[in-house]
Amino acid sequence: MSEVDTFRALHHHRLPGDPLVLPGPWDAVSARVLVDTGFPALATPSAGIAAALGHEDGATPADEMFAAVTRIARAVEVPVSADLEDGYGLAPRELVERLLETGAVGCNLEDSQGGVLKDPREHADWLTEVRDAAGDRLFLNARVDTFVRGVSDPEQAIARAALYIAAGADCVYPIGAPADVLPLLRVGIQGPINVFARPGEGPSPTELGELGATRVTFGPGLQRAAMAALAGLAPRP
């Protein structure tokens, strides 16, 4: 079984309360630590990598992001998915080829740009082109940004998710969805659902799985917790 097939299989036949938990490494060292802890796969956070490289979230140049993902993927022997934000304006085929060159097996692609939601049908058409270029070589996680862009109606998230799944997305990611909305999303979305969690805050991954999450990611949360721990450990001047 190929690495992408292994990664895809991890998303299916999950029991309630047993979501796939994918921590987010921001460099090669953190990736190795997380794999040594026992996680079967990883999902890089764009915000975490941006911070590690000295950029604001959303301001990492594409070349630097792909280089960072390459270092992480080469450092471990488990599948790695990469957060590629809105695709950096790259044509679908170039985006796919550059991602495959990193060694990653999947990616997040969000449906907003500059804080503004994209037209969902146009975005679905673009995702179709990405899927056509990738074939079955990549796992596509389509981020749905309605909740983080001020649209609280879950039906709009469900409608976007349906378009993206029809376009070939393997999973959808309604980032920022309130926990009490997850059962409704689970009923309305025909496919795996990625849910964002905050380390040590709010519902646990197990609880999110019981509410409908297929997989749980943390964005830059683990990095921020690690930096807080470092600040506490560092000797005072």
Side-chain angles (χ1 to χ4, degrees):
M1 183 182 291
S2 70
E3 201 168 37
V4 67
D5 288 337
T6 297
F7 186 65
R8 189 171 281 116
L10 288 171
H11 292 75
H12 294 284
H13 310 298
R14 310 295 310 188
L15 296 174
D18 182 34
L20 173 63
V21 179
L22 298 177
W26 54 93
D27 58 17
V29 173
S30 59
R32 292 190 187 106
V33 169
L34 292 169
V35 170
D36 288 346
T37 301
F39 289 99
L42 306 173
T44 69
S46 61
I49 288 178
L53 295 176
H55 298 294
E56 295 295 322
D57 185 18
T60 306
D63 288 350
E64 292 191 41
M65 183 62 73
F66 285 116
V69 172
T70 298
R71 290 190 291 271
I72 290 168
R74 288 178 178 174
V76 296
E77 296 183 358
V78 301
V80 174
S81 183
D83 184 348
L84 297 185
E85 303 178 280
D86 64 358
Y88 306 111
L90 299 174
R93 185 163 300 279
E94 182 181 0
L95 178 68
V96 166
E97 294 306 322
R98 293 193 68 176
L99 179 59
L100 288 170
E101 287 172 359
T102 70
V105 301
C107 62
N108 285 2
L109 293 169
E110 58 198 51
D111 67 349
S112 65
Q113 184 177 39
V116 178
L117 287 166
K118 298 179 181 179
D119 178 273
R121 294 191 179 277
E122 291 180 2
H123 187 63
D125 289 343
W126 183 76
L127 287 175
T128 297
E129 294 183 55
V130 174
R131 170 53 71 202
D132 288 345
D136 61 0
R137 296 178 295 170
L138 290 173
F139 185 97
L140 302 183
N141 187 31
R143 207 177 88 172
V144 179
D145 286 1
T146 51
F147 293 103
V148 295
R149 302 303 177 208
V151 180
S152 59
D153 180 6
E155 294 300 331
Q156 293 202 37
I158 290 170
R160 284 175 177 260
L163 288 171
Y164 304 160
I165 290 171
D170 296 284
C171 182
V172 292
Y173 180 13
I175 185 171
D180 60 1
V181 172
L182 293 180
L184 178 60
L185 297 180
R186 177 67 283 167
V187 171
I189 294 174
Q190 302 303 308
I193 300 175
N194 187 157
V195 173
F196 173 78
R198 299 182 184 277
E201 299 179 30
S204 68
T206 295
E207 291 167 332
L208 291 172
E210 291 170 345
L211 291 170
T214 308
R215 86 181 205 182
V216 175
T217 54
F218 304 96
L222 292 176
Q223 184 203 46
R224 291 171 182 172
M227 294 306 98
L230 176 61
L233 289 171
R236 298 305 177 201

